[in-house]
Amino acid sequence: MAKLTLVGLGPGSLDLMSLRAQQAILDADVVAGYRPYVDLVRDLIDQQEVIQNGMTREWDRVAAAVVEAKAGRNVVLVCSGDAGMYAMAPLVLELLTEQGWQPEQGPEVEIVPGITAANACASLVGAPLGHDSCTISLSDLLTPWPEIEKRIHAAADADFAITFYNPRSRKRQSHIENAQRILLQYREPTTPVAVVNAAYRDDQQVSLSTLAHFTDLDFGMNAAVIVGNSSSFQYHDWIVTPRGYRNKYQLDDGVTLPGQKRGRALAIDTSEE
């Protein structure tokens, strides 16, 4: 049966791409993708046919990949990060659904996971996503800006650490400043922020700042912006968002605090209520 494999390339370096992802590309008849992403895996391309195009041509790439797979070929569609995170997996499945695709009739579809931009960028600055967190894209090409604003308010109110994707572009400069203004309604100006450009690529750049000042930095579409929650702190070049162990244990010796029990739900002191 023909196969369409959606491959997450991770941040872009081959050593951070899974072996399964690399093997899928090596075994493919056709490799399709956004031109810069195809370039990231040129070392794995030999006899495979290549389908590539530029920005905003996502539908064309997906449609071409589906046509080739339905024609009986083994097709790989490469995506940056993870194929299911702001990438091609949703569009592929939506298109197949529109076409009345029946999995038992083919083509077979497989999704090979990749390291997300949030994970890759966080790894370079410590543990900023150590507790509950979310991702929000600031691109309004497919989502209305008022809806994005609503999500920023909700995430800020819930005290999530937040990773912003697509923070700036040549045509869209103000959205990240608007996000900053919203967050300052909920969090201290000193909240730590990491701006990571092109994680694990040749032009990688990592900057640490604060919620009050991070928009002064120079960054664009290839960057991710990670904003800590109310308990996040910076220590040297690391950002730490505590998981909550201090609420139950003494960190110096691991002894359980009074009123707490190991393996049980966190006991909350209500004596002052």
Side-chain angles (χ1 to χ4, degrees), residues 2-19:
K3 188 173 184 179
L4 175 56
T5 305
L6 309 176
V7 169
L9 300 180
S13 56
L14 288 180
D15 61 335
L16 288 178
M17 190 187 311
S18 72
L19 294 176

Side-chain angles (χ1 to χ4, degrees), residues 119-126 196-200 204-206 208 237-238:
N119 294 141
C121 294
S123 73
L124 293 170
V125 296
V196 182
N197 182 77
Y200 292 99
Q204 173 183 296
Q205 189 172 21
V206 179
L208 299 184
D237 292 332
W238 300 110

Side-chain angles (χ1 to χ4, degrees), residues 125-129 159-164 180 183-184 187-195 207-215 217 224-242:
V125 296
L129 307 181
D159 201 26
F160 285 123
I162 305 170
T163 303
F164 288 111
Q180 178 190 41
L183 290 173
L184 283 169
R187 296 185 192 171
E188 294 297 325
T190 54
T191 300
V193 175
V195 178
S207 301
L208 299 184
S209 185
T210 63
L211 184 56
H213 298 294
F214 80 92
T215 53
L217 298 171
V225 175
I226 303 178
V227 181
N229 69 11
S230 62
S231 64
S232 300
F233 62 91
Q234 182 177 341
Y235 184 76
H236 295 289
D237 292 332
W238 300 110
I239 294 177
V240 182
T241 298

Side-chain angles (χ1 to χ4, degrees), residues 136-194:
I136 299 176
S137 171
L138 295 185
S139 172
D140 57 3
L141 293 178
L142 299 174
T143 305
W145 176 248
E147 190 169 326
I148 297 172
E149 279 191 317
K150 187 188 305 182
R151 292 172 182 174
I152 298 170
H153 275 286
D157 185 48
D159 201 26
F160 285 123
I162 305 170
T163 303
F164 288 111
Y165 283 54
N166 307 310
R168 275 184 181 147
S169 68
R170 286 192 299 271
K171 297 180 180 178
R172 178 174 40 78
Q173 295 288 318
S174 63
H175 286 359
I176 190 66
E177 283 82 8
N178 291 333
Q180 178 190 41
R181 282 193 286 272
I182 292 171
L183 290 173
L184 283 169
Q185 299 174 32
Y186 299 86
R187 296 185 192 171
E188 294 297 325
T190 54
T191 300
V193 175

Side-chain angles (χ1 to χ4, degrees), residues 4-100:
L4 175 56
T5 305
L6 309 176
V7 169
L9 300 180
S13 56
L14 288 180
D15 61 335
L16 288 178
M17 190 187 311
S18 72
L19 294 176
R20 187 163 183 168
Q22 295 184 46
Q23 193 61 53
I25 295 169
L26 291 170
D27 292 343
D29 300 315
V30 179
V31 176
Y34 176 45
R35 187 173 290 107
Y37 299 160
V38 173
D39 288 342
L40 292 174
V41 295
R42 285 290 177 187
D43 289 345
L44 301 177
I45 296 175
D46 183 17
Q47 300 297 319
Q48 304 95 313
E49 180 182 335
V50 175
I51 299 173
Q52 59 183 4
N53 52 27
M55 186 72 74
T56 74
R57 302 295 298 274
E58 295 90 352
W59 189 92
D60 295 335
R61 289 195 291 277
V62 166
V66 169
V67 166
E68 294 294 334
K70 285 187 171 182
R73 307 184 78 186
N74 184 8
V75 181
V76 165
L77 181 59
V78 295
C79 310
S80 179
D82 181 85
M85 288 284 292
Y86 305 113
M88 295 293 94
L91 181 55
V92 166
L93 295 174
E94 285 182 280
L95 181 58
L96 288 172
T97 300
E98 284 289 316
Q99 296 176 353

